[in-house]
Amino acid sequence: MCGIVGYTGSKNATSILIEGLETLAYRGYDSAGIAVWDGENIVMKKEKGQLSNLKSILEAEPVFGNSGIGHTRWATHGEPSYINSHPHGDDKKQLVLVHNGIIENYVRLKNMLINKGCHFVSDTDTEVIAQLVGDLYSGEPLKAITEAIRMLEGSFAVAIMFRDDPHRIYCVCKDSPMVVGFGKSGAHIASDIPAMLAYTRDVTFMGDKQIAVLSPDGIAFYNEFGNPIDKGCTHIDWDLDSAKKGSYEHYMMKEICEEPTAFRKTAEQYVSFKEPRLKADCFPWTAEDIPNVKRIRILGCGTAYHAGLLGKKYFAELAKIPVEIEIASEFRYSDYTFEDGEVLLLISQSGETADTIAAMRMAKSAGIPTVAVCNVIGSTIAREADDVLFTYAGPEIAVAATKSYLTQVAVLFLAALRLGQLRGTVSDERISSLLSQLAYIPSSMEKLIDAREEIQYFASREFSAKHVFFIGRGIDSALSMEAALKLKEVSYIHSEAYAAGELKHGTIALIEDGTLVIALATQRHLASKTESNIEEVRVRGANVLAVTNGSLPSIDSHCSKVWRIEETNELLAPFCAIIPLQLFAYYMAVQKGCSVDKPRNLAKSVTVE
C-alpha cells in the first residue's frame, strides 16, 4: 500500500528516486526514504511525514550516485517515525532494503534472529526481512534471497542493495505488485507504472516469487530456486501527460474532467458505434458457452464493489440471470461452495487488490471460470483471470476513484448487454437503441462538467454539514452508495446511503432540522415512490437536493435544489448522474481544506489485508 522505486544506470539516482516517489505519493504514505550508492558507501536518508521533509534534508545534505532505492511507507507495523521508516538494513551492514506488504510470521522469525544475536532497532516486519537476508548472506545474493523466500509468509515486494555489489538491485515479490523496466539510461523498478513512464514504456510485471536483478546494462530474471527464466515485456501506451496534474489544482478534478474521454475510449473498445453493434469477439462469452453460464457472482472492494452493485442490476435486467455480489474480503473467508455453471466476475482498478486476488485463486482452484474487469494490463488479476474486460481509464492518481469507477460500470453494462444478446433476453432492436443513446453520453457528461460552478456554489453553502444522507431506489440506490463513499473519503463528512424505501424502518429517526439529504431520482418509473420519501424527510426539517433524469416537476416541488442530467434511458443515467456527485464531494473537500488527492489514512491500491 506504499511505494517502491529503484534505479541503476548512468544518471543521478537521487533525482530519479525522488521524482518516482512523488509520482507514487497518491498511494498514501506517512514517511519516505532513499538509499543511494555514492561511490564509497550506501547512504540512507529518510524522514517521517511528507516527502517535502525528505527533500529538505537532501537539499541540506545532497547525495549523488548512480544506483539507489526509495520508499514511501504506509504504516502497518510500528508507528510512523524516523526509526520505522524505510530503508532498513541488517546488523552486519551488508545490505539495505525497502518493502511493501505484510510478513505474517515476522514475530517467529524475529525471535529466531534475536536468539542468533541480531539486534533490532525498529518495530517493523520489514526489518525482519533485512536481518533474515543478512543472516543468510555469505557473498551470494541470489542464494540468500531464495532461502529467505522459503521462510517468509505473507505478502511482500522487496528491493535490496548489497554493499559489496551496489550497482545491482535485487527484487522479489509475492502477492504485492512490482514492475521493472529498462530505458536508455538504465534499469528501473517501481510499485506502479506511472513512476517509470518518463523513462520507458516497455515494462515487465513480476510474478510471485520471481527475482529480478537490475544492472546498468539490463535486467535478468530468476525463479524462486535461482534458475534463470525468460520474461517478456508489455508496452504501455499511456500518455505521459495523463499521469501529470497539468494546470489543475488537484488530480481528482483533472480525472473527473477526463471522464468523458475515458468513457468514450472504453466504450469504443467494445462497441462499433457506426452500425451500432457490440464487438462480439471482445467479450468472454460465445453462443456455445451460454448453456454453461447459469449464475454470476460479482466480487469487489470499495468503489469496485459499488460498481458491481450496478453491474448486478444490469445483468439481472438485461441478461435475466441470477446474480450475487459480495465484498471480496468477506467472501474469501466464507464457507461458500461453488456451484456448476457459476462464473466469478472480479472488479479491481489496479488488478492488485489483495482480497480480490485471493478470492479469484479460490475460484480457480475449484475450477470456476473467472472474468476480471481491470484497468492495468499485466497486473496480477489481469494475468491470472481466465478472461479480462479491460477498462481504458488511463492512470488514475487521486486516491478517490472517479474515472475508473465510471469505466468499470460502462464495461459491466456492455457485458450484461452482450450476455443478454446471447441468452435472447434483449432484442437486437433494443441493443441498437441503447448503443445509439450511449454514443451521446460523453457530450452530456461534458455539459455537466462545464456547469460545475453551480455545484461549487452549493458546496460553499453546505460544507459545514456534519452528516449527509443519500437516498434512492433501484439503480439509484446502488449509485448512492458510491456517492456517499466519495463524500466521506475526501471531505471526512459522515455520509451514508440508504435505500429510500427503508427510511421508515429506522433511519428516518436521524433526520432533523437542517440535515442534508441528497435524493437520486434518475429512474422515472420509480419517481413517484422517491417523491414520497423526499417528502418524508422534508417535513422533518431536511434540506433536500435532488439529482434527476431530465425534468421531473413532481420531484422539483419537494426539493430545495435540483441538479438535472440530460434526459436519457434509465439504464444509462448513472453514467451522467455520478459526475455531479463526484464534483460535490470534491468541492466539499476543497471548502474544508482537506487533502483532496491523498485523504488521511487511505491508500490508492490496497495490496494487503
Side-chain angles (χ1 to χ4, degrees):
M1 292 174 68
C2 33
I4 287 176
V5 293
Y7 169 77
T8 180
S10 59
K11 291 182 176 291
N12 177 27
T14 301
S15 59
I16 292 175
L17 296 178
I18 293 299
E19 179 185 335
L21 293 179
E22 287 177 329
T23 303
L24 295 177
Y26 70 90
R27 296 167 68 90
Y29 68 99
D30 48 50
S31 61
I34 63 171
V36 175
W37 170 253
D38 70 355
E40 295 182 0
N41 298 293
I42 295 179
V43 179
M44 282 198 295
K45 299 289 184 180
K46 55 185 182 178
E47 189 56 80
K48 174 186 173 181
Q50 294 297 302
L51 189 57
S52 57
N53 297 341
L54 175 62
K55 292 172 70 175
S56 296
I57 291 174
L58 290 170
E59 288 173 3
E61 303 171 4
V63 179
F64 299 98
N66 299 122
S67 61
I69 53 179
H71 189 269
T72 49
R73 177 178 186 252
W74 193 88
T76 55
H77 295 77
E79 66 181 10
S81 68
Y82 172 85
I83 292 297
N84 290 330
S85 303
H86 299 212
H88 288 283
D90 68 320
D91 265 359
K92 302 173 186 177
K93 302 188 183 303
Q94 303 169 105
L95 60 92
V96 294
L97 62 76
V98 292
H99 160 236
N100 289 351
I102 292 178
I103 304 304
E104 296 173 354
N105 63 333
Y106 84 100
V107 173
R108 177 163 52 84
L109 292 173
K110 184 174 184 177
N111 290 334
M112 177 195 75
L113 291 164
I114 289 172
N115 290 334
K116 297 180 74 170
C118 287
H119 173 66
F120 283 80
V121 297
S122 78
D123 300 317
T124 68
D125 56 340
T126 298
E127 189 184 354
V128 171
I129 308 175
Q131 298 282 19
L132 177 64
V133 176
D135 181 68
L136 296 170
Y137 184 61
S138 59
E140 299 180 51
L142 271 178
K143 184 174 183 294
I145 292 169
T146 55
E147 289 179 1
I149 290 172
R150 290 192 284 273
M151 300 174 70
L152 296 173
E153 298 174 7
S155 64
F156 51 83
V158 181
I160 311 174
M161 293 177 66
F162 291 86
R163 293 184 186 274
D164 55 6
D165 190 13
H167 294 294
R168 286 188 173 88
I169 300 173
Y170 292 79
C171 312
V172 62
C173 64
K174 175 182 174 292
D175 297 331
S176 192
M178 185 81 85
V179 188
V180 297
F182 192 80
K184 293 180 180 180
S185 63
H188 300 261
I189 184 173
S191 298
D192 206 353
I193 296 166
M196 61 176 66
L197 274 181
Y199 301 97
T200 181
R201 302 297 180 88
D202 296 314
V203 303
T204 298
F205 296 86
M206 299 283 289
D208 275 0
K209 297 185 179 180
Q210 293 177 343
I211 302 166
V213 181
L214 283 65
S215 70
D217 301 319
I219 304 173
F221 298 96
Y222 302 86
N223 63 17
E224 62 185 291
F225 305 106
N227 300 319
I229 58 174
D230 292 324
K231 285 184 70 67
C233 64
T234 300
H235 181 75
I236 304 299
D237 61 359
W238 288 352
D239 181 2
L240 179 59
D241 289 338
S242 66
K244 295 181 178 179
K245 191 161 50 178
S247 60
Y248 292 91
E249 185 178 356
H250 299 99
Y251 278 109
M252 184 177 177
M253 175 56 77
K254 176 178 181 286
E255 288 157 6
I256 292 173
C257 291
E258 290 173 343
E259 287 186 285
T261 299
F263 180 89
R264 184 183 293 109
K265 187 174 182 180
T266 297
E268 287 174 347
Q269 303 299 317
Y270 300 96
V271 179
S272 176
F273 283 105
K274 291 182 179 179
E275 284 83 355
R277 63 173 177 81
L278 294 167
K279 297 178 181 178
D281 57 347
C282 293
F283 296 92
W285 303 291
T286 64
E288 291 73 24
D289 297 323
I290 294 308
N292 299 318
V293 180
K294 299 175 182 177
R295 176 186 297 273
I296 292 177
R297 184 168 296 275
I298 302 174
L299 297 183
C301 300
T303 288
Y305 171 74
H306 294 159
L309 290 172
L310 279 172
K312 177 180 179 179
K313 301 287 186 183
Y314 288 142
F315 279 106
E317 164 72 17
L318 297 169
K320 309 298 183 188
I321 190 169
V323 186
E324 300 292 336
I325 179 166
E326 295 190 47
I327 298 169
S329 58
E330 289 293 309
F331 178 81
R332 65 179 291 196
Y333 293 112
S334 68
D335 295 325
Y336 181 77
T337 302
F338 291 102
E339 301 176 3
D340 290 340
E342 185 168 336
V343 174
L344 195 67
L345 198 158
L346 309 131
I347 309 172
S348 171
Q349 184 278 138
S350 66
E352 302 293 350
T353 310
D355 290 310
T356 308
I357 290 171
M360 174 185 66
R361 290 172 176 168
M362 285 171 53
K364 288 180 70 68
S365 66
I368 299 300
T370 56
V371 178
V373 175
C374 182
N375 192 49
V376 181
I377 296 171
S379 61
T380 300
I381 287 176
R383 293 196 311 268
E384 295 187 15
D386 297 319
D387 292 286
V388 185
L389 293 165
F390 283 109
T391 58
Y392 293 83
E396 187 176 66
I397 307 302
V399 167
T402 52
K403 61 178 180 174
S404 62
Y405 169 79
L406 186 76
T407 53
Q408 287 167 355
V409 175
V411 165
L412 292 167
F413 169 76
L414 294 170
L417 200 59
R418 173 57 178 164
L419 192 60
Q421 183 182 49
L422 291 171
R423 288 171 58 86
T425 55
V426 57
S427 67
D428 289 340
E429 292 77 14
R430 190 181 182 196
I431 291 173
S432 179
S433 175
L434 286 169
L435 295 181
S436 295
Q437 294 176 74
L438 194 73
Y440 291 98
I441 291 296
S443 64
S444 295
M445 294 177 181
E446 288 167 356
K447 291 175 183 176
L448 290 165
I449 293 169
D450 290 343
R452 58 185 179 272
E453 290 81 4
E454 177 186 2
I455 299 168
Q456 182 179 19
Y457 177 70
F458 184 84
S460 70
R461 301 179 60 185
E462 299 290 341
F463 73 92
S464 60
K466 300 297 183 184
H467 311 282
V468 180
F469 297 99
F470 293 79
I471 62 173
R473 289 175 177 265
I475 283 177
D476 286 336
S477 177
L479 189 65
S480 68
M481 294 186 68
E482 174 60 13
L485 176 62
K486 281 291 130 332
L487 182 62
K488 71 178 71 170
E489 66 183 340
V490 299
S491 73
Y492 316 143
I493 295 172
H494 170 253
S495 55
E496 296 294 337
Y498 294 95
E502 286 293 292
L503 284 172
K504 61 181 68 69
H505 295 288
T507 308
I508 204 166
L510 297 173
I511 303 300
E512 57 189 10
D513 282 344
T515 301
L516 179 58
V517 175
I518 299 179
L520 280 66
T522 70
Q523 309 299 293
R524 301 179 75 88
H525 72 287
L526 294 173
S528 62
K529 300 297 183 182
T530 305
E531 175 191 339
S532 298
N533 301 131
I534 291 173
E535 184 62 12
E536 287 174 344
V537 296
R538 190 191 68 81
V539 298
R540 288 166 174 80
N543 177 23
V544 183
L545 162 69
V547 179
T548 64
N549 184 357
S551 179
L552 289 173
S554 61
I555 296 290
D556 295 2
S557 62
H558 292 271
C559 301
S560 305
K561 185 69 177 175
V562 178
W563 294 339
R564 298 180 184 84
I565 66 171
E566 283 193 327
E567 187 171 346
T568 187
N569 186 283
E570 294 181 359
L571 293 177
L572 308 182
F575 299 127
C576 291
I578 191 59
I579 289 179
L581 298 168
Q582 291 171 342
L583 287 167
F584 175 64
Y586 170 81
Y587 283 122
M588 292 286 274
V590 169
Q591 290 287 341
K592 292 188 64 182
C594 299
S595 178
V596 177
D597 290 333
K598 294 177 284 184
R600 66 189 183 202
N601 305 329
L602 298 180
K604 180 67 174 176
S605 182
V606 184
T607 57
V608 298
E609 287 190 61

